[in-house]
Amino acid sequence: MAVDALSAIMVLGRKGREYEAPRGYDEIKKEAKHGELIFPVVPCEKTMDEYRPQKRINVMVPVDLLDRVNAYVKARDGMDRSRFICSAVERVLE
């Protein structure tokens, strides 16, 4: 649950709390008491996507292009039109 919690905080933030600058595992381990276990927790992009606010919009798309998009996403598990369009937009904007 730590990965989920960290991923949510990374997206939504925590009002009224300041975050320290990220530190490496070795630095944190040096501060640990003898016998204290330290486990690195890394946020998960897929989990972060679940917490990102979304907004529904209307987009006009030529029918033949929409048919090609539908065929593309149908051939891929876990993909839908919205996810496909968002990933395409991100690639163009990079």
Side-chain angles (χ1 to χ4, degrees), residues 61-76 79-82 84-85 88 91:
V61 179
V63 173
D64 60 326
L65 180 58
L66 185 59
D67 290 342
R68 290 171 49 205
V69 169
N70 288 336
Y72 182 89
V73 298
K74 185 177 181 182
R76 284 152 183 82
M79 176 76 69
D80 60 26
R81 283 191 304 218
S82 294
F84 169 76
I85 291 170
R91 271 187 258 133

Side-chain angles (χ1 to χ4, degrees), residues 9-48:
I9 289 172
M10 295 295 291
V11 172
L12 302 173
R14 192 162 177 196
K15 295 179 182 177
R17 299 296 293 266
E18 293 293 324
Y19 296 104
E20 293 181 16
R23 297 182 295 152
Y25 175 79
D26 291 332
E27 183 182 340
I28 294 170
K29 189 174 179 182
K30 286 179 187 175
E31 296 176 9
K33 297 174 185 167
H34 179 71
E36 188 175 26
L37 299 176
I38 306 296
F39 296 95
V41 178
V42 179
C44 172
E45 278 296 324
K46 185 176 179 181
T47 303
M48 290 171 69

Side-chain angles (χ1 to χ4, degrees), residues 45 49 52 82-94:
E45 278 296 324
D49 283 344
R52 285 191 176 95
S82 294
R83 190 177 304 264
F84 169 76
I85 291 170
C86 287
S87 66
V89 168
E90 285 177 356
R91 271 187 258 133
V92 168
L93 294 177
E94 286 177 349

